[in-house]
């Protein structure tokens, strides 16, 4: 019997070969980078396939790399309870196009993690039912975990009550 | 205050009497926002027993309390709430800033944490530590009582 890792890589390559950008394994964690056009299809497939059955999206993380070829990365931490297997699914984003399809209808639990990534990086999840800020005040105008945001914030951007 | 034994009465100033009664029954409003609140609980609990100093009645309603213990990291978003609760407390009222976070932002030198609650409310006493030991908070309470007895604000 093949192990789940080989099965996953094979199935993905077979079905979505063209949109897979890289498959890397580092220190026991498998990372698969895919193009964002096929993200929704791939997620539906991973969730629905009976062998793989990735029924849990534990977390969604944003990363700001500020590289010349791409700016942001969105990382999906997918876990299959049945197989006890975890891997990271990554999407690279250009600064000019911050839209990415939402996967809330596949894993309802990622509603808040997607809001968190939106709050901190300004990445817009198309199709999210309620894309509001989650941690910062709703009238805050900046995205604080972007590299250009100063550590101490922008003075006066969040008013304090009068003394 | 002077006690006159043979005549059986007591002379004092009204202010002094009021302050004496206030200082011995400070009712704290536990504004427990993060980890310091755990230390504040043990300060109220049987081991350290703040009821020895008359402050065991923790009120979760600001309208019934007169000492606000701000125990924890105050973010900008929370600052409005802290201020609102402070405003709801009846006069006279005092504020204890418990721990490094409340006093100066502590280790959170960042865009989201207020660098000291004295930027938006008046603070009467600061307690150092991350978190302060309950003895330290007791000491602050005693110092605050002395301050009230001296009629300082
Ligand atoms: S001072 Fe230390 S213990 Fe207290 S709230 Fe801050 S981090 Fe937590």
């Amino acid at each position: 019997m093949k192990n789940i890792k080989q099965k996953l890589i094979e199935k993905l390559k077979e079905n979505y070969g063209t949109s897979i950008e890289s498959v890397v394994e580092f220190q026991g964690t498998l990372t698969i980078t895919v193009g964002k056009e096929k993200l929704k299809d791939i997620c539906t497939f991973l969730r629905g396939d009976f062998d793989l059955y990735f029924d849990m999206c534990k977390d969604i993380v944003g990363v700001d790399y500020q590289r010349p070829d791409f700016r942001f990365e969105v990382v999906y931490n997918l876990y299959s309870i049945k197989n006890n297997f975890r891997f990271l699914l990554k999407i690279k984003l250009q600064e000019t196009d911050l839209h990415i399809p939402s996967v809330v209808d596949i894993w309802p639990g990622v509603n808040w993690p997607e809001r968190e990534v939106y709050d901190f990086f300004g990445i817009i999840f198309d199709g999210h039912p309620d894309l509001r800020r989650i941690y910062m005040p709703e009238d805050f105008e900046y995205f604080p975990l972007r590299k250009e945001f100063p550590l101490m914030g922008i003075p006066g951007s969040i008013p304090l009550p009068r003394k | 205050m002077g006690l006159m034994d043979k005549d059986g009465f007591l002379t004092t100033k009204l202010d002094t009497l009021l302050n004496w009664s206030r200082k011995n029954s400070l009712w704290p409003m536990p504004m427990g926002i993060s980890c310091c609140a755990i230390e504040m609980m043990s300060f109220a609990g049987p081991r350290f027993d703040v009821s020895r100093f008359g402050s065991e009645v923790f009120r979760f309603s600001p309208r019934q309390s007169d000492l606000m213990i701000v125990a924890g990291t105050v973010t900008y978003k929370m600052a409005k709430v802290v201020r609102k609760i402070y405003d709801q407390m009846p006069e006279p009222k005092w504020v204890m800033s418990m721990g490094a976070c409340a006093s100066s932002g502590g280790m959170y030198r960042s865009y989201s944490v207020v660098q000291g609650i004295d930027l938006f409310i008046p603070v009467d006493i600061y307690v150092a530590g991350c978190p302060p030991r309950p003895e330290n908070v007791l000491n602050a309470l005693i110092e605050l009582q002395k301050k009230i007895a001296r009629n300082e604000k």
Side-chain angles (χ1 to χ4, degrees), chain B residues 34-36 71-73 98-102 107-108 129-132:
Chain B
S34 47
C35 17
C36 270
T73 320
M98 177 178 173
C101 284
M107 60 178 176
Y108 301 101
C130 175

Side-chain angles (χ1 to χ4, degrees), chain A residues 66-84:
Chain A
Q66 276 204 328
R67 293 238 184 96
D69 49 337
F70 69 99
R71 168 99 198 242
F72 295 103
E73 219 172 56
V74 181
V75 186
Y76 295 78
N77 185 337
L78 301 182
Y79 181 67
S80 161
I81 298 180
K82 184 174 135 185
N83 298 306
N84 186 16

